[in-house]
Amino acid sequence: MITVLVVEDDPLVGEAHEAYVNRVDGFAVAGRVRTGQAALRFVERTPVDLVLLDLRLPDMDGLQVARALRTAGSDADVIAVTSARELKVVRAAVSSGVVQYLLKPFTFAAMREKLEHYAKFRTSLGHDREVSGQAEIDRAFAALRGVDRAALPKGMGGETLAAVVAALRAAPEGAPAGTIGESAGVSRVTARRYLEYLVDKGVVERRPSYGGVGRPEMTYRWTGED
């Protein structure tokens, strides 16, 4: 059973998140708190596997909480649950150790998908051993992000693809390759290659964006499961 701490300042929203988690097989809520400090105290007393973390808390920034967990030696993973859509926040979340990013408002199906992918990730890397090689690591990141990467084209990696998918999901209205690349930490050319791969897989929509002079720029939008 994967134990979960729900961190949400709105009591009604927090109650809904708790109910969602408890509906997913293999997950159980160990506690629910409304502030960052309360979250840190809870994890210190009761270690959990996963923290569903609102990034806009009344006493401190949620990403401060994520970093404080690592500083304190906690190995709990963090899924950001937030309405923050700014790319700088997404980048900061990645650098703070957030493994997934779930935008509010969302449905039960969206949370279930995130949790099920996270469970697959834990299963794939859940043993105290050395991994067999790069392919096993890529499969683990593939499970976490929810895109099938079993047979990626030569030269493409699961971790980079995961970063591109995360950037896409954080831009629900779509964004050009340069913007996605900046968020994912890769060049525009690299981002476009991964984006075109996702277009071919049928989970990303590509459309021209007019408004400038000359050739229109392509905008990419995630259309896979949310």
Side-chain angles (χ1 to χ4, degrees), residues 177 181-182 185-192:
E182 182 182 0
V186 299
S187 70
R188 179 177 179 275
V189 172
T190 298
R192 186 168 57 195

Side-chain angles (χ1 to χ4, degrees), residues 110-126:
M111 178 174 280
R112 180 181 60 195
E113 182 195 29
K114 293 290 186 186
L115 295 179
E116 288 176 347
H117 290 321
Y118 173 72
K120 291 177 183 177
F121 170 74
R122 282 181 61 89
T123 299
S124 62
L125 292 179

